[in-house]
Amino acid sequence: MSDLTALQLIQRVIAKSGAQGRPQTVDFVSAGDPTSAVNGIAVMGQASLEGLRQAAAAKANLVFTYDPAFWATGDNLTRMETDALFLEKRAFIRAHDLVVFNLHDHLRDAMPDRIAAGMGQALGWQSDTANVNLFRRPPTNLLALAQELSAKLDDKTLRVVGDPKLAVTTVAASFGNTQQLPAIALLNGPADVLVCGYAHEWEVVEYAQDMISVGLKKGLVLLGENASVQAGMKSAADWIKTVVTEVPVTFISLPEPYWIL
Amino acid sequence: MTKLSRRAFAATSLSLAATAPAKAAPALTVRQVLERMHGQIGTPWTERGVDRIIVGDPDTLVTGIGTTMMATFDALKAAVAAKCNLVITHEPTFWMHEDDVTQLQDDPLYKVKLAYMKAHNLVSFHFHDHWHAKKPIDGIHQGMADRMGWSRYLKNPYDRHIDLPPTTLGGLAREFQKKLGNRTLRVVGDPGLAVKRIALSWGNCSLLPGAPYLNSDCDALVIGECQDWDLTAYAQDLVTAGRKKGLIVLGHILSEQWGMDYAATWLRGFVPEVPVKFLPLAEPYWNLKTKWTFEIIVRVSP
């Protein structure tokens, strides 16, 4: 065990992130005692119970997670006080002296965006020099693009809007959750396809459908949240290893949540 | 904005009433259809919420009514093809729950869609909150239960639980796929999980009320849509913790649209003057496992 506390390591990672803090941020300690001594760091897409078990098994008690441990942006706990699963998860965190820190905004706001950069790296795609979220691809089509994403991100449950034969040379990415107005701007930009983690099926999905319905040559791929950020967190773990050398840093890969028929 | 336009509409309504007798065919306006709906819904009509005319004039003469899950461009084309100029839509016309178009004034697709609706004299009415609030039973719940062949299992209209003949989580998923034509539904949990009692939350379902539903006396929760880091993650953690539970995510449109088929049936009961048609939508997605299909109903140049 090191003499370093979770708080010291969190502060170091934030200081080295290169990102300005947001006035309102989701990056905070959502569970655990930040004065705990750290014997290892675990990095994952979402601090699921399975992810926390693997962290504890790896003797890593400081957890950096992209998505919240308590199932909602901002980990709103007041409404979960009587929830049996919440109490069980918190008891597990306490029993293993885990400290869970949401590391989201400081990755996305880095220059370049560490999630996007890591995803591009995992895909082996060269991004536009000016825009880490824009990729020029050798000519392909929407079906082949979906197959490539599925294979490289181990994503069996991705969903696609658009003509499978759509010609694709330019891909815009909005990894993770995509908001309606930024996604609309990306769909109206030079990209043939927008690749994202999740978008509401009463907003961006229908906007893309309507573009296609009026004859515009566009497509939309929904990877699912896990597949759309996980490789970014793996790359974040590699970066954290360069910042924290005193304790082991382990990336924990989680399977996609769903199965399909 | 709503108040101002209502006043303006009242003025036009008066002038129209004066000229109406000159017309040979009985003239049915959008306003009259909506007033009849107010009387039939079984619950007080309120101006709160999202239910309102999104595009068009309430004094437009109705040639036919098309009910649909979402007024997508495809749905509008289908309405025009079916000669229905009043589109009653459960979900928005302009890609957000409140149909707030202030940020879309320069959006090219918004302009094209609006121009198409004006050119075809279309009126879209957002019929979300009141259809869910319908008494004695939520119209979406009734229509979906009808489609699934489960109406006989609806014991209490306010209960979201249904007891089914024993099946498994995988069997239930296949039944949804068969009856809703769903290619891309997604499931959390053991496919072999024994399922007898389910909770239903058609459409979007977040952590609340999703978590209490999952923890209620049921084997599986069936929803239309949620965010992966929210209810899906909760369901995953429940399964990891050893609870015998499953979650089926149908997709938003397919999880509710037969409720709008029931809306067409309901409207026919008190709007006999014009045809009322349900305009079904294709599932928006394909995936790599089920054989991909890509449907667009009709193509027109904008």
Side-chain angles (χ1 to χ4, degrees), chain B residues 25-76:
Chain B
L28 179 72
T29 64
V30 169
R31 184 192 307 282
Q32 288 172 313
V33 173
L34 297 181
E35 279 167 359
R36 288 184 206 173
M37 288 165 69
H38 297 181
Q40 295 286 329
I41 199 75
T43 188
W45 198 272
T46 159
E47 297 299 322
R48 289 194 304 272
V50 298
D51 291 6
R52 61 184 174 92
I53 292 176
I54 305 303
V55 173
D57 190 312
D59 293 309
T60 304
L61 296 183
V62 179
T63 58
I65 301 174
T67 67
T68 192
M69 175 57 192
M70 183 139 24
T72 60
F73 222 117
D74 285 346
L76 299 180

Side-chain angles (χ1 to χ4, degrees), chain B residues 6-291:
Chain B
R6 222 181 293 130
R7 218 174 290 137
F9 294 151
T12 29
S13 161
L14 277 175
S15 58
L16 197 99
T19 56
K23 291 194 178 291
L28 179 72
T29 64
V30 169
R31 184 192 307 282
Q32 288 172 313
V33 173
L34 297 181
E35 279 167 359
R36 288 184 206 173
M37 288 165 69
H38 297 181
Q40 295 286 329
I41 199 75
T43 188
W45 198 272
T46 159
E47 297 299 322
R48 289 194 304 272
V50 298
D51 291 6
R52 61 184 174 92
I53 292 176
I54 305 303
V55 173
D57 190 312
D59 293 309
T60 304
L61 296 183
V62 179
T63 58
I65 301 174
T67 67
T68 192
M69 175 57 192
M70 183 139 24
T72 60
F73 222 117
D74 285 346
L76 299 180
K77 290 178 188 175
V80 169
K83 300 197 186 342
C84 297
N85 69 335
L86 171 55
V87 176
I88 296 187
T89 176
H90 187 62
E91 293 290 339
T93 305
F94 293 119
W95 322 293
M96 65 192 79
H97 190 54
E98 298 82 7
D99 284 293
D100 175 3
V101 295
T102 47
Q103 306 256 27
L104 295 175
Q105 292 305 308
D106 297 322
D107 184 90
L109 190 61
Y110 168 69
K111 290 183 190 169
V112 169
K113 197 165 182 177
L114 190 61
Y116 180 84
M117 295 181 76
K118 289 192 170 159
H120 291 88
N121 199 29
L122 293 181
V123 177
S124 72
F125 179 73
H126 197 163
F127 189 38
H128 181 276
D129 300 343
H130 289 91
W131 193 229
H132 279 307
K134 180 182 175 295
K135 296 283 191 296
I137 183 168
D138 174 340
I140 295 293
H141 194 36
Q142 179 69 61
M144 291 306 297
D146 289 347
R147 178 70 183 177
M148 293 304 294
W150 294 346
S151 307
R152 63 189 182 282
Y153 304 135
L154 293 176
K155 287 174 189 154
N156 170 353
Y158 303 105
D159 190 358
R160 289 300 174 141
H161 293 83
I162 287 189
D163 292 298
L164 297 175
T167 180
T168 60
L169 188 59
L172 182 64
R174 280 190 297 277
E175 188 172 350
F176 275 110
Q177 189 170 57
K178 194 173 142 199
K179 290 181 177 157
L180 305 180
N182 190 321
R183 297 185 294 265
T184 68
L185 64 79
R186 296 168 301 156
V187 190
V188 180
D190 176 2
L193 177 76
V195 172
K196 283 191 301 194
R197 185 167 163 80
I198 62 172
L200 294 164
S201 183
W202 313 107
N204 189 57
C205 183
S206 297
L207 184 64
L208 295 175
Y213 274 141
L214 273 167
N215 287 309
S216 69
D217 174 24
C218 70
D219 306 305
L221 170 64
V222 180
I223 65 167
E225 173 174 12
C226 68
Q227 300 174 124
D228 287 356
W229 59 91
D230 186 286
L231 187 59
T232 299
Y234 186 91
Q236 263 189 300
D237 277 357
L238 266 185
V239 173
T240 302
R243 312 285 207 288
K244 305 288 185 202
K245 297 284 179 175
L247 174 71
I248 297 181
V249 184
L250 297 169
H252 199 134
I253 285 176
L254 291 196
S255 83
E256 291 192 285
Q257 77 163 341
W258 295 95
M260 293 311 284
D261 184 33
Y262 175 57
T265 307
W266 177 71
L267 283 157
R268 277 179 212 119
F270 55 86
V271 186
E273 298 95 328
V274 295
V276 183
K277 292 173 184 167
F278 169 55
L279 310 170
L281 298 181
E283 183 177 20
Y285 317 99
W286 46 270
N287 65 21
L288 292 169
K289 195 164 175 189
T290 46
K291 185 169 164 49

Side-chain angles (χ1 to χ4, degrees), chain A residues 46-50 53 67-73 76 79-80 83-86 88-89 142-143 146-147 150 155-165 176-177 180-181 184 188 197-217 220 222-226 255-261, chain B residues 70-74 77 91-97 103-104 107-110 112-113 169-170 173-174 177 183-191 204 207-208 211 215 224-234 236-238 240-241 243 249 251-254 282-290 292 294 296 298-300 302:
Chain A
Q46 182 161 16
S48 62
L49 190 54
E50 174 60 30
R53 283 181 180 177
D67 277 314
F70 297 112
W71 321 292
T73 307
N76 183 344
R79 58 186 193 171
M80 300 302 287
D83 183 273
L85 185 63
F86 163 68
E88 198 170 324
K89 196 165 184 176
L142 187 56
L143 176 60
Q147 286 165 336
S150 174
D155 184 353
K156 297 176 193 69
T157 64
L158 61 80
R159 297 172 297 162
V160 189
V161 181
D163 184 348
K165 294 192 275 302
N177 180 40
Q180 191 226 27
L181 291 171
I184 285 178
N188 281 293
Y198 170 80
H200 287 319
E201 195 187 319
W202 65 90
E203 294 185 346
V204 178
V205 172
E206 281 68 28
Y207 190 93
Q209 273 194 299
D210 280 359
M211 288 184 102
I212 295 162
S213 185
V214 299
L216 296 166
K217 305 289 184 199
L220 174 70
L222 304 188
L223 296 170
E225 175 76 1
N226 179 60
E256 57 189 316
Y258 305 104
W259 51 270
I260 53 177
L261 289 168
Chain B
M70 183 139 24
T72 60
F73 222 117
D74 285 346
K77 290 178 188 175
E91 293 290 339
T93 305
F94 293 119
W95 322 293
M96 65 192 79
H97 190 54
Q103 306 256 27
L104 295 175
D107 184 90
L109 190 61
Y110 168 69
V112 169
K113 197 165 182 177
L169 188 59
R174 280 190 297 277
Q177 189 170 57
R183 297 185 294 265
T184 68
L185 64 79
R186 296 168 301 156
V187 190
V188 180
D190 176 2
N204 189 57
L207 184 64
L208 295 175
N215 287 309
E225 173 174 12
C226 68
Q227 300 174 124
D228 287 356
W229 59 91
D230 186 286
L231 187 59
T232 299
Y234 186 91
Q236 263 189 300
D237 277 357
L238 266 185
T240 302
R243 312 285 207 288
V249 184
H252 199 134
I253 285 176
L254 291 196
E283 183 177 20
Y285 317 99
W286 46 270
N287 65 21
L288 292 169
K289 195 164 175 189
T290 46
W292 54 258
F294 173 62
I296 288 287
V298 263
R299 285 193 181 278
V300 294

Side-chain angles (χ1 to χ4, degrees), chain A residues 1 7 26 61 75 199 235 243:
Chain A
M1 181 168 293
L7 188 59
V26 296
N61 65 329
D75 296 273
S235 147
V243 176

Side-chain angles (χ1 to χ4, degrees), chain A residues 23-241:
Chain A
Q24 277 197 314
T25 181
V26 296
D27 290 5
F28 67 100
V29 174
S30 69
D33 176 358
T35 65
S36 302
V38 175
N39 42 32
I41 292 175
V43 181
M44 61 189 79
Q46 182 161 16
S48 62
L49 190 54
E50 174 60 30
L52 295 179
R53 283 181 180 177
Q54 289 189 31
K59 305 210 184 309
N61 65 329
L62 173 56
V63 174
F64 286 117
T65 179
Y66 181 82
D67 277 314
F70 297 112
W71 321 292
T73 307
D75 296 273
N76 183 344
L77 302 184
T78 48
R79 58 186 193 171
M80 300 302 287
E81 273 169 354
T82 59
D83 183 273
L85 185 63
F86 163 68
L87 297 172
E88 198 170 324
K89 196 165 184 176
R90 190 181 63 179
F92 182 88
I93 288 166
R94 287 179 176 171
H96 294 84
D97 201 20
L98 300 181
V99 179
V100 182
F101 183 77
N102 291 337
L103 186 58
H104 179 284
D105 298 346
H106 286 89
L107 297 177
R108 299 315 301 252
D109 295 350
M111 294 294 283
D113 175 339
R114 291 187 194 279
I115 296 293
M119 291 299 297
Q121 206 179 349
L123 290 166
W125 292 2
Q126 187 63 49
S127 69
D128 192 278
T129 43
N131 183 351
V132 71
N133 287 302
L134 197 66
F135 302 92
R136 313 273 174 196
R137 305 295 309 138
T140 183
N141 64 40
L142 187 56
L143 176 60
L145 179 80
Q147 286 165 336
E148 182 186 353
L149 288 163
S150 174
K152 289 183 172 168
L153 303 176
D154 192 20
D155 184 353
K156 297 176 193 69
T157 64
L158 61 80
R159 297 172 297 162
V160 189
V161 181
D163 184 348
K165 294 192 275 302
L166 174 76
V168 174
T169 57
T170 307
V171 179
S174 175
F175 297 111
N177 180 40
T178 190
Q179 303 284 345
Q180 191 226 27
L181 291 171
I184 285 178
L186 290 171
L187 281 165
N188 281 293
D192 307 303
V193 180
L194 172 61
V195 175
C196 64
Y198 170 80
H200 287 319
E201 195 187 319
W202 65 90
E203 294 185 346
V204 178
V205 172
E206 281 68 28
Y207 190 93
Q209 273 194 299
D210 280 359
M211 288 184 102
I212 295 162
S213 185
V214 299
L216 296 166
K217 305 289 184 199
K218 296 287 175 174
L220 174 70
V221 178
L222 304 188
L223 296 170
E225 175 76 1
N226 179 60
S228 83
V229 300
Q230 177 147 277
M233 286 310 275
K234 186 167 191 294
S235 147
D238 291 339
W239 164 71
I240 291 169
K241 280 176 198 170

